[in-house]
Structure formats: structure tokens, C-alpha cells
Amino acid sequence: MISLNYYEPETQQWQPITFNQLPTQLPADARLWINLNDASVDEQQTILQHFAIAPTLAEDFGRQRHPPKLEAETHFTLLILRGYADVDFSEYSGSAQVNLLYSKQVLISRIYCHNASLLNQLKPQIKTTQSADIAEWIKHLILTVSASYLEKLINFEEEQSELEDGMLQRGTDEQMARIMRYRSVLRKINRNLAYQKDIFADAFYEEQNPLLRHFSATDVRDFYEKFERLHSMTDLYYDQLSDLVEGYISTTSHQINERMKVLTIVSTIFIPLTFIAGIYGMNFMYMPELQIANAYFIVLIFMALGGIAGLIWFKIRGWW
């Protein structure tokens, strides 16, 4: 089902209308928001054809999964953004994707979001008796998308500090599993933030950038700085988690080396003794040493001296 909200310049009020009531030519002061969240594919195509949206823009707008993107034609601009819809970084169910087609008077939106609270924040707020500037709505959506990351990143700082303290005291496999999950999620959102940062960074180098049609250079710089800061924070957290992983692996390797050193020392001492015991454990009838009355004690003393000599040698070499 298509949801249309129309601002009538004569009455100066917003009102819901049907597609059949849509004016063929919008008055200069009119505004229109078309919400396609609950629309079928056919209904969506009808709207896009009505406004003569270019096929390339229409195709990208209709996709549920698409990297953040900015593209423009003569009258309409396509902006695709991705917000973070999960509660924290312990899981990643998927991004909240915001697909927007907008001009000076018309906003066509389709939002894919499994978080009801965030979905509500991503809807333009209609004030019945007040005209809405489409650019202000787009600005609100961009800031909401950036805020969806910022809140989680700020909360994650404390979680990461606790993880770091736990790993320094005595790291566990469970903590390592949590760190690996966090790294996976941060890597995914880092890609989204990199795309979105680049969208706004390009506006500084392109005089005809589509963003500058509706926003001032100050606004675009503000958008860029927000996403650049978020991207830097995810880079920082990812690097810190990587350091914890490397530290845990180094500590574990050191512990294994210490255990292996003990086992090696024990093996080195007892292998010669086992060799001697093996020789005298052979069942031959004629063995010269068997006729010596004190042979048993002599062999034991020799074996004990060999073991002690080995320990002394390891101590001198600093291996023990």
C-alpha cells in the first residue's frame, strides 16, 4: 500500500491523499512525501514511472541490499544510507537501509529496518499545519543514521575496557569468542561508514555535486565530519580488539612454550635412563654385568648421576 502525504499550499496543511488524487503538476509551494515501506513491487513501479525516474536510479532504489550511494539525474537525487539497527555489537542481523529519491518538492522513501524504534526515528515527522522543507527531512534522516552508530560506539567503549581488563588478568576462550564476534561486526559496519564518509567527502571536490543542490557547504561538511568520526572510532576499536587478540595469542604461546620446556627437560633426562633400563631388561641368558654382585646398585647410581648431571647442565645453560 502506498502512503502519500500532501502539503496543500492553499490550506497550508498536510493531508493524506490517494494516488488518484495526486495533482498532475505540483504547485510551486506544494510538498509531497510518498512512503513506499508497505508498497508492493507493482505499486512502487507505478510511482517511479509517474515521476519519470531514470531506470538506473529506479533499479537501485528498489533494491533491499545496496551499498550506500549518491547519484542524481536532472530532477531527482538518489541517496542510499545504512544505519545500525541492532542493540549492540554482539550480533549483526543486518543494516537499516534507507532508500531515498528526492527533489525540491518530492520525497520518495523506502526504509528496510527490523528495529521498530529506529524505523520510527527514520520517518519524516509531519506537523499538520507547518510546511516541511524536503532538505530538512533529508538532513534529519542523515543525522539519525549517524546517531544510530554513535550511541552504540559510545556504549561499546565501556564494554571494551572491561574486556581489556579481563584479558590482562586472565584471558579465557569465552572472552576470545566475544572479541572475535565484535571484530566481525565492526568490520562490517566499518565498510558501511567508509562508503557514507566518501559520499560526503566527494562533495568538497565536485562543484556540481548533487548534495550541493539542497544543502549548504557547511551542512555537507557537518555530515562528512560525523561519518568520518564514526569511521575513525570503528577503526580504533577494531585495532584495539586486534591487539587484545594478538596479546592473548602471545600469552597462550608463551604458556605453551613453558610447558613444552618442562616436558622437554623431563624427556631429555629420562630418555637415557629408559635406554639403560631397556638394555638390562632384555632377556638374554648371558649378560656379563649380571654376574657382578653390586651391578644393580652401580647401575642405579650411574642413572641417578646422569639425571642430576642433566639438571645441572640445564641450569648452567639457563634453560631451567
Side-chain angles (χ1 to χ4, degrees):
M1 183 180 69
I2 304 173
S3 173
L4 294 95
N5 293 275
Y6 180 68
Y7 180 78
E8 175 59 60
E10 294 181 1
T11 61
Q12 296 186 349
Q13 288 187 340
W14 282 95
Q15 56 185 353
I17 62 173
T18 64
F19 180 72
N20 294 330
Q21 295 173 315
L22 188 64
T24 306
Q25 185 69 31
L26 292 177
D29 295 333
R31 297 290 184 270
L32 179 65
W33 171 35
I34 304 175
N35 184 356
L36 298 178
N37 286 2
D38 300 319
S40 66
V41 175
D42 291 338
E43 289 173 331
Q44 178 175 294
Q45 290 300 319
T46 299
I47 291 295
L48 298 178
Q49 290 173 7
H50 176 82
F51 289 97
I53 304 299
T56 53
L57 267 63
E59 181 182 358
D60 290 343
F61 176 83
R63 291 183 178 177
Q64 184 174 350
R65 290 181 58 82
H66 196 288
K69 179 180 182 180
L70 176 69
E71 188 175 348
E73 59 171 12
T74 305
H75 300 293
F76 278 87
T77 300
L78 170 67
L79 179 61
I80 299 177
L81 300 172
R82 281 187 175 181
Y84 193 75
D86 289 308
V87 178
D88 53 34
F89 295 144
S90 61
E91 60 179 350
Y92 184 78
S93 304
S95 300
Q97 183 160 307
V98 182
N99 295 359
L100 305 173
L101 275 168
Y102 63 93
S103 64
K104 185 177 180 180
Q105 294 180 272
V106 180
L107 170 63
I108 305 173
S109 67
R110 182 149 195 172
I111 301 170
Y112 303 91
C113 181
H114 58 272
N115 186 319
S117 176
L118 179 59
L119 178 60
N120 187 58
Q121 295 176 39
L122 289 170
K123 290 181 179 179
Q125 303 300 313
I126 292 180
K127 297 182 179 179
T128 309
T129 59
Q130 181 178 346
S131 175
D133 186 353
I134 299 298
E136 285 299 316
W137 276 353
I138 304 298
K139 181 178 180 179
H140 164 75
L141 293 173
I142 293 172
L143 296 179
T144 302
V145 167
S146 68
S148 70
Y149 292 95
L150 181 62
E151 180 182 359
K152 276 81 173 182
L153 285 169
I154 291 175
N155 294 335
F156 182 68
E157 184 174 5
E158 183 177 350
E159 174 73 16
Q160 181 168 317
S161 297
E162 293 177 0
L163 264 177
E164 187 171 1
D165 293 339
M167 293 295 289
L168 288 175
Q169 293 174 3
R170 185 174 181 83
T172 63
D173 291 340
E174 181 181 353
Q175 290 173 324
M176 271 295 294
R178 288 171 58 194
I179 290 176
M180 297 306 293
R181 285 199 304 271
Y182 287 144
R183 288 181 68 202
S184 176
V185 174
L186 286 171
R187 188 185 302 114
K188 292 173 183 175
I189 67 173
N190 187 268
R191 288 198 296 265
N192 291 339
L193 291 170
Y195 281 125
Q196 291 170 128
K197 179 191 73 170
D198 291 343
I199 285 175
F200 301 110
D202 291 342
F204 298 124
Y205 307 104
E206 300 175 7
E207 295 182 0
Q208 302 299 322
N209 190 280
L211 287 170
L212 299 177
R213 295 180 185 176
H214 305 278
F215 302 103
S216 66
T218 303
D219 286 334
V220 175
R221 179 177 292 276
D222 181 55
F223 301 152
Y224 166 75
E225 289 176 350
K226 289 183 182 301
F227 283 102
E228 196 278 333
R229 190 178 304 114
L230 293 170
H231 184 254
S232 298
M233 290 176 71
T234 56
D235 274 339
L236 175 63
Y237 292 155
Y238 183 85
D239 290 343
Q240 289 176 342
L241 290 176
S242 298
D243 290 342
L244 289 179
V245 172
E246 292 176 3
Y248 178 79
I249 293 175
S250 298
T251 302
T252 304
S253 299
H254 177 70
Q255 293 172 349
I256 293 174
N257 289 338
E258 288 297 316
R259 296 188 184 101
M260 290 302 297
K261 182 169 69 174
V262 173
L263 292 174
T264 302
I265 291 174
V266 172
S267 299
T268 304
I269 291 173
F270 280 94
I271 285 175
L273 305 185
T274 305
F275 173 71
I276 295 172
I279 290 177
Y280 290 103
M282 293 187 292
N283 295 320
F284 291 108
M285 181 177 297
Y286 301 105
M287 295 183 70
E289 292 85 354
L290 296 179
Q291 305 301 320
I292 301 174
N294 296 319
Y296 171 74
F297 301 102
I298 294 172
V299 171
L300 284 182
I301 293 171
F302 180 77
M303 293 171 68
L305 290 175
I308 293 172
L311 290 175
I312 293 173
W313 173 253
F314 289 135
K315 191 68 176 178
I316 292 173
R317 299 288 297 179
W319 297 344
W320 172 56

